[in-house]
Amino acid sequence: TKPWGTGHAVLVAADLIHEPFAAINADDFYGPTSYRLLHEFLVHTPDAAVANYAMVGFRLANTLSEAGSVSRGVCRCDETGHLQHIEEITKLGKDSAGARYTDEAGESRTLPGDTLVSMNMWGFHTSFFAHLRDGFAIFLARNGQDPRSEYYLPTAVNDLVNAGRARVRVLSTPEAWCGVTYQQDRLQVINYLRGLVENGTYPSKLSP
C-alpha cells in the first residue's frame, strides 16, 4: 500500500539500470560540482570484490536552515576519506561555531561548520542491487507487519560497510545544498536558484 523507504525506491529500479548510477532525493538541489565529482568517481573507479561506492559529503554550514532546526547524517571517515559510519543527528540549529544540538543525555553540543554530512547523494555500481535485495529481505522479515517502517539507503550502506562488503568514498563538495525544510525556506530557495540562472550557471529552462 506504500513504498518502504529510499532503499526500496532504488531497488524497484534494478531491472532498468545496467550501468553505474546516482541516487538522489528528487526534491533537493545539489549543485553542478557535486554531480561532476560523482560522475568522475563512477567513471574512473571500477567495482571490485569489496564494492566501490561513493557519497557526496556537504559542509554542514552549507546545509542549515535559517528558519529552524534540521536533521543531518554526520559522516565519520577514515584517514583515506572512506566512510566508516553515518550518525543521524536531529534538531541541529545554526550557531556561530557551525551548529548546536542536544544529545541523548541532555547535554548541549556543537559541530564545526566544516563537518561533512550526508544529504542522500550516492553513487553506486550495479552490484549494489544484490546487496539491497539481501538487506530488504531481512528488513521485511523483521518489519513487514508494520506499514510505517522504512528501509533507508544509509542503513543499507552502513550495514555493508560494517560487514566489510563495501567501501564508500566520501567526496567533499563546495556546493551549498538547497531544499525546503520549512515554509519560510521557499523564498530563499527561489532567490538562490534565480541567481544561478542570472550568473549563467543554469539556463532559464532546462528542457527545449
Side-chain angles (χ1 to χ4, degrees):
T1 58
K2 64 176 285 293
W4 294 93
T6 49
H8 183 213
V10 173
L11 185 57
V12 296
D15 292 341
L16 300 175
I17 298 175
H18 309 288
E19 57 279 306
F21 65 98
I24 63 169
N25 292 340
D27 56 352
D28 288 348
F29 175 84
Y30 296 102
T33 303
S34 305
Y35 289 99
R36 292 189 190 105
L37 287 168
L38 204 52
H39 174 265
E40 287 300 307
F41 174 89
L42 291 173
V43 167
H44 298 293
T45 307
D47 217 2
V50 176
N52 286 312
Y53 306 141
M55 186 207 77
V56 176
F58 287 75
R59 293 179 68 250
L60 175 60
N62 289 341
T63 74
L64 298 174
S65 171
E66 298 284 352
S69 63
V70 297
S71 297
R72 295 290 180 256
V74 175
C75 301
R76 187 173 75 241
C77 302
D78 63 19
E79 63 280 358
T80 66
H82 286 84
L83 185 68
Q84 290 182 309
H85 185 71
I86 298 177
E87 179 184 1
E88 188 73 14
I89 295 183
T90 61
K91 297 183 179 178
L92 279 162
K94 215 164 190 179
D95 181 84
S96 58
R100 183 175 295 276
Y101 69 101
T102 301
D103 66 16
E104 293 180 355
E107 297 289 329
S108 180
R109 305 285 185 185
T110 59
L111 285 174
D114 61 357
T115 301
L116 288 180
V117 297
S118 168
M119 300 305 296
N120 238 14
M121 186 175 193
W122 302 93
F124 297 113
H125 291 278
T126 53
S127 61
F128 187 55
F129 291 124
H131 295 312
L132 267 184
R133 286 190 184 94
D134 292 344
F136 189 52
I138 294 170
F139 165 84
L140 287 178
R142 293 174 178 169
N143 305 287
Q145 301 306 309
D146 181 3
R148 297 167 299 176
S149 294
E150 297 197 40
Y151 183 49
Y152 294 113
L153 270 181
T155 301
V157 172
N158 265 338
D159 290 345
L160 289 176
V161 170
N162 291 338
R165 299 170 69 188
R167 285 158 45 92
V168 179
R169 183 67 181 269
V170 178
L171 310 171
S172 178
T173 179
E175 297 278 4
W177 169 88
C178 195
V180 178
T181 304
Y182 297 94
Q183 178 64 29
Q184 299 96 307
D185 294 327
R186 183 175 181 272
L187 183 59
Q188 180 182 346
V189 170
I190 289 172
N191 290 334
Y192 181 72
L193 296 178
R194 181 180 291 131
L196 293 176
V197 172
E198 291 173 352
N199 69 25
T201 301
Y202 283 103
S204 59
K205 292 185 178 180
L206 293 179
S207 58

